[in-house]
Amino acid sequence: PLRERQGLVGVGGGGVLLDSDSTQSLIDLIKTFIGSGGISQEHGGAQITLPESFQPSGPWKHFLAGAKRAKWEESYDRFLRGEHPQAIAMQQKLTSGAEGKPIQPGTVIGHILESALQAGKQVPLRRLAECDDLANLPNEADWEKMDNASIKIGCDPVESNQRRDKEILVEMVGPEVEMDFTQKTDEQKAGEKVWYAKIKWWVALKRAKAPVSFGGGGKRQRT
């Protein structure tokens, strides 16, 4: 239990007291762990370091440009003007007309990370990452697990135009991924959601051949 006294918070029965700043830091750390589902933040997983901005040498070879202006282009243009994905999402609709529901901020991030980057556009990767949840970014251990899983199932995300995210997740987490969604615990659902976000970043960065490193740039780069 938590006990408050003169601006301090006590934790448990051992009389440990934390000031409000320390308590908030602890709460934020716990939230990050819970948000990851407890399965993706592995010991020794160095945090990813992205270039401030990156433009691929050209579009990904399987990228198909539409004849009309796409939703991702609106998201991309507004993001370049400095708008946050949350603000962009609130003004974009799933369907046209006043009755359309706003899209999710994660959809806007996907527009920029997947569509714009794969179209060969310049993307402020570091700012985009800062707009996403920290738990959604793959660390070094996550990256290696996804690399190994894709090799085992025979799917190269750069060469193949098929997304086999679920198969990759099954290889990493186990057959419980294939359980009926209604039978999964909240922890399983939350963990899988984070893993799918990590896979999205991993696939997009590999297809764009973006240089990434881990541990503040002190470790070898990956593409």
Side-chain angles (χ1 to χ4, degrees), residues 87-109:
I88 298 171
M90 289 178 65
Q91 296 181 23
Q92 282 210 50
K93 306 289 186 180
L94 288 171
T95 57
S96 60
E99 299 301 320
K101 295 182 180 180
I103 62 176
Q104 296 297 312
T107 301
V108 175
I109 291 174

Side-chain angles (χ1 to χ4, degrees), residues 107-121:
T107 301
V108 175
I109 291 174
H111 284 170
I112 301 160
L113 179 64
E114 298 180 291
S115 298
L117 196 60
Q118 291 178 26
K121 302 289 187 180

Side-chain angles (χ1 to χ4, degrees), residues 69-85 87-89 91-93 103-113 115-116 127-128:
R69 180 175 170 81
K71 285 285 187 183
W72 71 260
E73 293 177 281
E74 180 182 346
S75 296
Y76 173 72
D77 289 344
R78 292 176 62 184
F79 185 72
L80 285 190
R81 292 198 295 268
E83 293 187 60
H84 192 281
I88 298 171
Q91 296 181 23
Q92 282 210 50
K93 306 289 186 180
I103 62 176
Q104 296 297 312
T107 301
V108 175
I109 291 174
H111 284 170
I112 301 160
L113 179 64
S115 298
R127 183 162 72 88
L128 184 64

Side-chain angles (χ1 to χ4, degrees), residues 3-211:
R3 298 180 289 107
E4 295 188 11
R5 189 181 71 197
Q6 295 180 348
L8 300 177
V9 177
V11 183
V16 178
L17 295 176
L18 301 173
D19 61 28
S20 58
D21 289 340
S22 297
T23 302
Q24 187 59 52
S25 296
L26 178 60
I27 291 171
D28 290 342
L29 180 62
I30 293 171
K31 283 182 177 179
T32 298
F33 178 76
I34 293 174
S36 72
I39 61 176
S40 60
Q41 302 300 316
E42 301 196 3
H43 296 297
Q47 187 173 342
I48 193 170
T49 301
L50 297 169
E52 183 173 349
S53 187
F54 178 74
Q55 181 170 17
S57 58
W60 177 53
K61 61 183 179 181
H62 294 301
F63 179 79
L64 297 176
K68 297 181 179 180
R69 180 175 170 81
K71 285 285 187 183
W72 71 260
E73 293 177 281
E74 180 182 346
S75 296
Y76 173 72
D77 289 344
R78 292 176 62 184
F79 185 72
L80 285 190
R81 292 198 295 268
E83 293 187 60
H84 192 281
Q86 271 192 323
I88 298 171
M90 289 178 65
Q91 296 181 23
Q92 282 210 50
K93 306 289 186 180
L94 288 171
T95 57
S96 60
E99 299 301 320
K101 295 182 180 180
I103 62 176
Q104 296 297 312
T107 301
V108 175
I109 291 174
H111 284 170
I112 301 160
L113 179 64
E114 298 180 291
S115 298
L117 196 60
Q118 291 178 26
K121 302 289 187 180
Q122 180 96 21
V123 173
L125 282 176
R126 201 169 296 172
R127 183 162 72 88
L128 184 64
E130 290 171 354
C131 292
D132 204 353
D133 192 316
L134 177 63
N136 291 341
L137 304 178
N139 62 30
E140 187 172 31
D142 298 330
W143 194 278
E144 290 179 354
K145 288 189 73 171
M146 290 183 283
D147 276 347
N148 292 335
S150 67
I151 291 171
K152 286 182 179 179
I153 69 170
C155 178
D156 184 336
V158 177
E159 297 299 323
S160 174
N161 63 351
Q162 294 184 339
R163 293 294 295 264
R164 296 171 62 182
D165 297 10
K166 187 173 183 179
E167 292 177 65
I168 289 173
L169 189 55
V170 169
E171 186 64 39
M172 293 189 296
V173 177
E176 59 267 29
V177 172
E178 298 186 296
M179 289 172 53
D180 187 279
F181 186 78
T182 60
Q183 301 301 313
K184 294 178 181 180
T185 65
D186 290 342
E187 290 77 14
Q188 284 177 303
K189 294 173 184 176
E192 289 180 13
K193 181 179 179 181
V194 171
W195 264 119
Y196 282 125
K198 290 176 184 288
I199 292 172
K200 179 170 68 176
W201 274 94
W202 173 75
V203 170
L205 293 171
K206 289 183 81 73
R207 286 179 173 177
K209 301 188 186 306

